[in-house]
């Protein structure tokens, strides 16, 4: 297994581009299942999770053309001959579960493995299934698989107990081919939902209100091909912004949508970090020690849970105490234990982490436990004394495109040691 070595103490300077959003690309690629016509996508990041979804789609019979190095992929689901998502793919990447809605809506049946547990919490799929049942699907659970059937889904009013991103996406895709109109109340409002709705509308779907908590979908008989460019990755961009603030650097992040990072920018400013925001770029200047600020993760537009670990690293070397409250996932503080091994002072109390700023961190061997935790360890390594050796970096490779190359170009000392 590969490892990453980071030698701390370098100030980051220069420009970096955000890649296309992983979390927008995954459902958008899956939505190609809704039509027999070819669908072309741009700005698809070259990541393990994207390779996993392409493998899953190929396994269903989707024709995949293009090269991830160029970010362009064309998918044609004209000959889907298998309606099943197997356990080994769903367990490696939960977003695979999103094939359920589109397969069921277009082909009348689907068999998809349930994802099971995951490092950051239980992550059930009850809201996906309840919503599909409201749309008229017959659902059975057998041998760890969800089997769903419906001659044709019919529009319905659905209320989500929680604004789940995945459930909103699954149901929006299913309802796009249902008979009649669907209303999803308490829908998730994340930018990735809006991006999926805009791709679906370009395919001929009629979706209104995506990005707000009420989404209305007029079902269509058929959808058609499209060409679509996915939005920039707000979480990757936010991670580079923290890297600049941490190293007291001066980094311009290009190809970003700062309006997708409003609360994050507010919090960085509250911590004393200088952020200059333009429509598609953000410049972050770290001017010295930052101040501890309290963070509470919430569904969008609140502070994103996917930037909690990165912000925690910044707080470990801030002046004063900060309280970080995680409201989305119950077990998303595993990075705190590794950060403590690097000299941080973090006390965990249920879903709260009390972080007391220390003078400096010290490099240590650490282990990545999930995707965002892994990048937080890289960030900590950038500012720690000595060398940090991060193992299990396959987590990082799921979601950060060319991270060593991008950070090296900004002046970081980071290298990958290939596993034997
Ligand atoms: C997506 C993102 C992930 C992000 C998360 C929250 C993708 C591929 N992943 O994950 O990076 O951290 O949103 O912003 O886009 N829940 C239920 N029942 C359900 C579904 C969800 O109880 O049927 C709960 C989950 O356990 C969790 C919360 O709702 O506690 C939010 O989950 P959800 O918004 O569904 O996250 P994902 O779509 O899995």
């Amino acid at each position: 297994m590969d490892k990453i070595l980071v030698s701390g103490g370098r100030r980051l300077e220069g420009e970096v581009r955000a890649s296309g959003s992983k979390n927008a690309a995954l459902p958008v690629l899956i939505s190609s299942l809704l039509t027999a016509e070819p669908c072309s996508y741009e700005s698809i990041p070259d990541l393990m999770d994207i390779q996993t979804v392409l493998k899953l789609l190929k396994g269903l019979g989707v024709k995949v053309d293009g090269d991830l190095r160029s970010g362009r992929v064309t998918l044609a689901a004209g000959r889907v001959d298998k309606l099943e998502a197997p356990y080994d793919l769903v367990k490696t990447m939960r977003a695979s579960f999103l094939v359920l809605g589109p397969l069921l809506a277009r082909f009348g049946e689907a068999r998809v493995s349930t994802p099971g547990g995951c490092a950051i919490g239980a992550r059930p799929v009850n809201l996906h299934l309840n919503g599909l049942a409201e749309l008229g699907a017959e659902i059975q659970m057998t041998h760890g698989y969800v089997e769903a059937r419906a001659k044709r889904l019919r529009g319905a009013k659905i209320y989500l107990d929680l604004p789940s991103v995945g459930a909103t996406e699954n149901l929006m895709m299913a309802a796009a081919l249902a008979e009649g109109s669907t209303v999803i109340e308490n829908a998730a409002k994340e930018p990735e939902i809006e991006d999926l709705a805009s791709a679906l509308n370009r395919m001929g779907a009629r979706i209104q209100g995506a990005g707000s908590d009420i989404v209305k979908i007029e079902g269509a008989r058929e959808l058609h091909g499209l060409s679509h460019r996915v939005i920039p990755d707000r979480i990757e961009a936010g991670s580079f912004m923290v890297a600049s603030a941490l190293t007291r650097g001066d980094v311009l992040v290009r190809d970003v949508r700062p309006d997708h990072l409003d609360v994050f920018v507010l919090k960085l400013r509250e911590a004393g970090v200088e952020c200059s925001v333009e429509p598609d770029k953000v410049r972050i200047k770290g001017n010295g020690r930052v101040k501890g600020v309290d963070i509470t993760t919430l569904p969008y537009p609140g502070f994103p849970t996917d930037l909690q670990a990165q912000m925690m690293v910044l707080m470990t070397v801030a002046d004063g105490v900060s309280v970080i409250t995680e409201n989305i996932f119950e077990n998303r503080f595993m990075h705190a234990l590794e950060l403590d091994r690097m000299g941080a002072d973090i006390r965990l109390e249920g879903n709260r982490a009390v972080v007391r700023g220390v003078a400096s961190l010290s490099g240590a061997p650490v282990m990545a436990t999930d995707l965002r935790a892994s990048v937080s360890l890289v960030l900590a390594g950038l500012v720690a004394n000595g060398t940090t050796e991060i193992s299990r970096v396959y987590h990082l490779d799921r979601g950060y495109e060319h991270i060593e190359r991008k950070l090296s170009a900004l002046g970081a000392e980071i290298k990958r040691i290939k596993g034997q």
Side-chain angles (χ1 to χ4, degrees), residues 34-239:
L34 290 164
T35 178
E37 293 185 16
C39 301
S40 298
Y41 303 107
E42 277 179 55
S43 205
I44 302 297
D46 187 1
L47 298 171
M48 268 320 289
D49 271 10
I50 299 293
Q51 283 170 22
T52 305
V53 80
L54 294 179
K55 187 169 165 196
L56 169 67
L57 292 171
K58 271 186 200 158
L60 299 172
V62 176
K63 191 163 167 285
V64 177
D65 284 310
D67 181 354
L68 278 184
R69 278 170 301 182
S70 68
R72 287 169 209 264
V73 184
T74 298
L75 303 181
R79 288 209 195 124
V80 171
D81 48 18
K82 207 168 154 227
L83 302 173
E84 179 172 314
Y87 176 61
D88 55 330
L89 292 181
V90 183
K91 85 166 188 266
T92 17
M93 192 191 63
R94 302 175 50 83
S96 308
F97 195 74
L98 296 177
V99 301
L100 180 60
L103 285 179
L104 177 63
R106 181 158 157 230
F107 302 102
E109 60 179 276
R111 187 166 183 269
V112 176
S113 168
T114 50
C118 122
I120 60 175
R123 298 182 87 174
V125 286
N126 58 314
L127 301 172
H128 303 236
L129 300 183
N130 294 348
L132 290 172
E134 294 287 344
L135 294 174
E138 262 178 53
I139 294 176
Q140 279 188 337
M141 304 280 295
T142 42
H143 308 296
Y145 278 73
V146 174
E147 290 182 358
R149 271 191 186 77
K151 235 179 173 168
R152 180 157 185 218
L153 296 173
R154 47 180 158 65
K157 188 164 166 174
I158 299 168
Y159 174 82
L160 298 180
D161 290 335
L162 286 168
S164 154
V165 174
T168 306
E169 292 167 344
N170 222 337
L171 296 171
M172 245 169 37
M173 290 191 276
L177 282 182
E179 186 178 353
S181 48
T182 296
V183 178
I184 307 175
E185 289 186 358
N186 199 27
K189 297 184 280 204
E190 271 69 1
E192 294 76 20
I193 305 276
E194 252 184 288
D195 198 44
L196 174 62
S198 98
L200 292 171
N201 283 343
R202 253 180 235 164
M203 295 169 83
R206 286 163 296 173
I207 303 177
Q208 283 181 338
S212 78
D213 53 4
I214 299 186
V215 182
K216 293 188 179 150
I217 305 129
E218 273 311 317
R221 260 260 161 234
E222 265 185 3
L223 298 179
H224 51 74
L226 83 163
S227 108
H228 179 78
R229 184 183 180 86
V230 303
I231 54 173
D233 197 312
R234 62 193 167 105
I235 307 302
E236 188 207 20
S239 307

Side-chain angles (χ1 to χ4, degrees), residues 304-319:
T305 174
D306 285 351
L307 283 171
Q308 177 257 105
Q310 299 86 319
M311 197 67 176
M312 184 183 286
V313 176
L314 189 61
M315 295 299 101
T316 62
V317 289
D319 276 334

